[in-house]
Structure formats: C-alpha cells, structure tokens
Amino acid sequence: SRSPRDIPVLRQKVKEILQRSQLPSSSHDLKALLHILETFPRDELFQSTTDELFAAAMGIVHLQERARVKLFIRRDSFGRFFSCLVYMPRDRYNSQVRTKIQNLLLAALNGKSAEHDVFLSESALARIQFIVHTTPWKLPQYEPAALEQEIALALRSWQDELKDALIEKFGEERGLQLFGRYANAFPAAYQDDIKAKAAVFDIEHLDALNGEDNLRMSLYRPKHSPAGYLRFKIFHREQEISISDALPMLENLGVRVMGERPYQVKLADESVSWVQDFELIYPAELDVDAVRESFHEQFAHVWRGEAENDGFNRLVLSAGLNWRQTTLLRAVCKYLLQTSLTFSSAYMERTVSGNPQIAVLLVKYFEARHDPKGAKERDTLAARYAGEIDKALESVASLDDDRILRSFFNVARATLRTNYFQASSDGTHKPCMAFKVDPAQLPELPLPTPMFEIGVYSPCVEAVHLRGGKVA
C-alpha cells in the first residue's frame, strides 16, 4: 500500500518514466502522470518493464479524460497469462459490459479463464484489469487495435445505435429530432427484444399516429424464419388493443396466433402509445408483399366496425381479395339467408372460403359486369369469367357446396345495378352496399316473385326492398 516512490524497486522505474515524459515539473499533465502511477495496479508496476509502463502511462495521460475506450495488453514474461487494462467512460460501466469485454478477450487471446478487478475513482474513466489465463507459450494471433475497436462497439448502448440509425434513415436534422423524442421512450424489454435499426421502422409508424389515424400495422416475415411464420405489429395510441379482441380478428383472417409481446412507449410529454407484436402461423405458402396491404385494410375495417369479423375474411390471404371484395361476398350471403336458403351463414362462409379460386372468379365476374370504367369490354370479360366459373364448379365434390356456390353465381348474374363502385364525397367507399336483382333469374326465391328486389347490407343493417312494379 506504500507509494511507488517509497519502494526501492519501483522508485527507479517511476523516476525514469517521469524523466522520459519530459513534462514540465509544475504542469497538470505531470501531476496526472504521477496519479496514474500511484494508482496503477501494483502487480503491473512490479512485473512490467519500464518501457511497457511508460507506454501505458503516457497512453492514459493522452486520454485526457476523454470518453473513449483504450486497451493496454501485456503478456506475462513466462507466457502464462495476459494482463489487459481497459479504460472506458465510467457512466458506461456495468456488469453486463464487463462480461461482454471479458468474453471478447477470452475469444481473442484463446483464454481458458479470466479474473477481473475494477477501479472507480472521481475520474470520468473507469479501469478494469483482466487477467486472461492461457496455455503457456501457446501464443494467439491478435490485433490490439482491432480488439480495442471491438470493445468500443460492445460499449455502445442501444440509444447510441438508435441515434446513428435514425440519422442514417432521416438525415441529421429530422433524425436528431426523433431521437430526442424517442430515445428514452421504449421500455427495457423492447430494447432487449428489438434491435435499434429495426426500432427506426417502429418509430416511423408511431410518429405517424394522430387523432384521425390512431392505428398503424405491419405484417412481415422475419429473415431466415421458417415457412409459414409471420409477425404482425400493431401501433396504437393511448390504450393497447385487448388480446381478447385481436385474437378472433386474426384467427378469422386465417392465421394462428402463437404469442404476443406488448410494449408501452411513453414519451416525455406523458403521451402513451403501444407496440403489440404478434407471432403468427399461416398453414400455406404466402407472398407477404402481395397481401400485406389487404391484410392491414381488412384488420383495420373490422377493428373499426366497418366490416364484420367472420370467415369471409380468410379470403384476404387465401385468395388475395381486399376488404371491399370480401364485403361483397358477405352481402350476397346475407341476401341469400333472406331467400330461405337452407344453409347457415357459418356454413356458407366455410364453403366460399374453402374454395378461394371460385371466390375470386365470382368477384371478378361481378366487377366485370358492373365496373363503369370497363363498359367497352364488359360482355367479353363477363362471358369469360362465367365460363371459368362453370368449369370450376364441375370439380366441386360436395353437392351442398355446389348448391351454395351456384347460388352466389346466380345472384351475381341476376344483379342489374349496384352501388359497389360508388364513393362518398371524401373518396372512400360508402359504408353500405346495395344491389338490385331480377328475381325471375333466381331459382332460390319462393314464389310469387316481385318484379325487383334490392338487397341492402352493412355491418349494422340487413334488408331487402321488394318492388312489384317499375316504379316504387
């Protein structure tokens, strides 16, 4: 515990180092050098040569309290171990960081075991000494500068990486603005589960949430994930979406929910948002890029009550239909229920969703007949799709399924007019759907049939308007 200048063996080393430094006798740097030698690990003072001590001490002086990493490695003269001194910003030191550094040193130096000693003082730098035991005289190949760089990278916090990623994505001005807003907003569980680079994508969605658009989504397949494995993120303001609400919606879209990880994002202004990450399994091959937008739209419309939560939604993934097209098939189903067709709504859902190819053809046939933009080739397209439907129906094995699908086809053929393509003043589709049919073309209807029927459907209304003449 004595001062090195009072110990004969060390006194001469200290004197020589001070002379070689050529620092002025009253300078701050000389006082710093003396303090470094006084607090240097005692075994290192005894075992290091004067040259090794001088290089290490002057290297520490040149750090000048800078918040950076510095590594000094000395090999034991008998080849039994390496002594590694690591200097790092004191506020970055913790047991996890120490373990990371120790593992890096063990790997780089082919170490068998390691011991450590930590020195913390009023200095801005923390010092950790690692003694890495190796096989005697079996010298590893390592590059000190590269190893120092690896240690520096290991010290980078999640926030450091987030800052760099945001600047890379949005530029310095916008990136720093978002970093100031979200740097401390994410909980520890999120930082453990999500890499900083991936968090940039989440921040982009979270920052887009507002009063009118308070729900954002992302369906994706992680890299190197097994077939059928999907992830679905929901971004929502204020309250998280209850798992009991989300689960039926997702299952009716044809996926199995394997788990959910909710993260609360709390900003400095006390506003709260949620990131809910669902693990999904889809039992068939899927082009995620092709169906992503339709999946998002369908979930959003069901969540807002603008579309029903039933088995027709499976056609979004299995057939590639959008939410409006699934609503069309649902509206026809509800109309058929009022014609006294003997099948239940759930049975018809299973039949149509179980025959996605025919479901697509039914929608294409209906759209071809009534699309105001395709009037010139309307008859040609409709005839082509009608032929494809007739051919596809021949391969339906079940008689009940055949009857249901033919009933859907009959309604499509009997439809004279529809508001399916009409938009509201804001450019969105109208919340209700209506189609005027010719009952004479529908064998499912009981006699006597009126001149016209108009089926009306929305999530809150199902009705049929019967007309006995051309004028209501």
Side-chain angles (χ1 to χ4, degrees), residues 53 119 128 143 145 148 188 193 365 437 472:
L53 270 178
F119 178 73
I128 317 172
E143 183 60 46
E148 183 178 272
D193 295 340
Y365 174 77
V437 299

Side-chain angles (χ1 to χ4, degrees), residues 69-87:
V69 173
K70 190 67 179 174
L71 170 66
F72 302 96
I73 301 179
R74 181 185 65 81
R75 182 171 62 86
D76 170 42
S77 56
F78 296 102
R80 299 166 300 176
F81 62 84
F82 285 88
S83 175
C84 306
L85 289 177
V86 179
Y87 286 81

Side-chain angles (χ1 to χ4, degrees), residues 359-386:
V360 171
L361 290 172
L362 288 170
V363 170
K364 286 183 175 180
Y365 174 77
F366 185 92
E367 292 179 342
R369 287 197 64 215
H370 299 286
D371 187 352
K373 296 179 181 178
K376 291 183 179 180
E377 49 188 19
R378 178 175 297 161
D379 294 339
T380 304
L381 273 177
R384 191 184 90 190
Y385 291 132

Side-chain angles (χ1 to χ4, degrees), residues 5 9 35 48 65 75 87 96 110 113 123 142 153 156 176 228 231 284 291 311 314 345 360 376 387 395 399 455:
R5 288 178 288 177
V9 174
H35 178 72
S48 301
E65 301 287 304
R75 182 171 62 86
Y87 286 81
Q96 281 184 317
N110 292 334
S113 62
S123 169
Y142 68 95
L153 290 173
R156 285 174 58 81
L176 290 175
R231 298 287 282 272
V291 300
R314 292 186 178 89
S345 177
V360 171
K376 291 183 179 180
S395 61
L399 289 176

Side-chain angles (χ1 to χ4, degrees), residues 32-104:
L33 179 58
L34 278 170
H35 178 72
I36 289 166
L37 293 171
E38 292 279 355
T39 58
F40 212 70
R42 190 52 51 95
D43 283 349
E44 288 301 294
L45 287 174
F46 278 108
Q47 297 176 25
S48 301
T49 66
T50 305
D51 289 339
E52 290 171 335
L53 270 178
F54 177 77
M58 293 307 295
I60 299 165
V61 169
H62 291 149
L63 281 176
Q64 292 291 332
E65 301 287 304
R66 287 180 293 174
R68 61 180 295 262
V69 173
K70 190 67 179 174
L71 170 66
F72 302 96
I73 301 179
R74 181 185 65 81
R75 182 171 62 86
D76 170 42
S77 56
F78 296 102
R80 299 166 300 176
F81 62 84
F82 285 88
S83 175
C84 306
L85 289 177
V86 179
Y87 286 81
M88 57 179 287
R90 186 174 58 185
D91 59 354
R92 293 292 176 88
Y93 173 76
N94 57 50
S95 58
Q96 281 184 317
V97 166
R98 188 199 69 229
T99 302
K100 281 184 181 179
I101 297 172
Q102 181 171 304
N103 291 337
L104 283 172

